[in-house]
Amino acid sequence: MTATAVDQTLRAATVEVLAEHGWNGVTLERVAERVGRSRVTLWRQGLSVETLLNALLDDLAQDYRDTMWPVLAAHGTGRENLVRTLTALFDVIDRHIPLMLSSDLIFHREQERNGSVSFLDPFERFLREGAADGSLHPRGRISDVAEVLLVSAAFTYVHMRGRHHWSKSRVRGLTLDLTLRGLVDP
């Protein structure tokens, strides 16, 4: 069964169950209960917990790839492209905020499952380019800095948007300022 076979109602119910019970607590019965159907009905439709969770991860991965493509094709300094990368990440997060709020393992689960989307690649690329062109000054191994940058920016953004209900502009401005500040001073 493909990800497109999982309708939006089931996706939303799966996110709710995930948020309440964690990855190991998502069951077909719990999802079925949320949508007012029986577990057997979902099972007869060919749905499984794996199908439901994979549909969410497929959506996130595809959105990330589609959103990052123009950033990766853009010209500019490493710093300019890193800002574009962070902005694109925030756009993806805003479209998947309920999923992102449900677990801090979302990126890890997609990487473990599929491996075809490297969430860190754009960060590593533009940190390297910024170090080479002098527009960024990462301190430490690029792969480590990229990982800390992605996690710091992503989960600060998720928390402030989803739990504190800050506006996009407010949290983006502050998160960009704070995460870039340590990278721009020599």
Side-chain angles (χ1 to χ4, degrees):
M1 178 152 300
T2 64
T4 56
V6 179
D7 67 39
Q8 197 55 43
T9 302
L10 287 170
R11 290 169 198 256
T14 304
V15 170
E16 289 173 14
V17 173
L18 180 60
E20 189 174 324
H21 298 283
W23 285 99
N24 294 329
V26 177
T27 65
L28 208 52
E29 185 172 3
R30 285 179 172 149
V31 173
E33 185 177 292
R34 296 270 175 163
V35 296
R37 300 181 203 166
S38 74
R39 178 191 59 77
V40 173
T41 299
L42 297 183
W43 181 80
R44 284 185 183 147
Q45 293 173 343
L47 296 170
S48 66
V49 169
E50 182 180 16
T51 303
L52 296 170
L53 292 173
N54 284 344
L56 299 175
L57 295 174
D58 286 344
D59 285 350
L60 176 66
Q62 188 61 50
D63 191 10
Y64 188 83
R65 280 191 295 268
D66 292 348
T67 303
M68 285 299 166
W69 179 248
V71 174
L72 294 168
H75 299 286
T77 65
R79 183 180 189 280
E80 290 166 342
N81 286 327
L82 186 61
V83 169
R84 286 184 191 107
T85 300
L86 287 163
T87 301
L89 174 68
F90 299 153
D91 290 341
V92 171
I93 289 170
D94 278 324
R95 289 189 292 272
H96 299 271
I97 197 79
L99 177 62
M100 298 298 297
L101 283 166
S102 72
S103 173
D104 65 346
L105 298 174
I106 299 303
F107 294 132
H108 293 287
R109 292 293 178 163
E110 171 54 24
Q111 200 67 39
E112 290 168 6
R113 178 183 73 97
N114 205 355
S116 66
V117 174
S118 176
F119 295 100
L120 285 176
D121 283 352
F123 292 89
E124 289 179 2
R125 174 182 165 184
F126 296 128
L127 284 168
R128 277 191 186 83
E129 288 180 10
D133 68 25
S135 63
L136 294 172
H137 304 281
R139 293 166 186 83
R141 286 185 357 188
I142 294 292
S143 59
D144 292 345
V145 175
E147 192 163 359
V148 169
L149 177 60
L150 170 64
V151 170
S152 298
F155 289 104
T156 297
Y157 191 82
V158 167
H159 185 81
M160 300 314 288
R161 287 282 293 138
R163 302 285 186 226
H164 294 263
H165 308 290
W166 280 19
S167 70
K168 290 178 186 180
S169 61
R170 182 179 182 194
V171 70
R172 284 178 187 220
L174 287 169
T175 303
L176 282 171
D177 179 59
L178 289 172
T179 56
L180 292 174
R181 190 173 297 175
L183 296 169
V184 295
D185 295 330

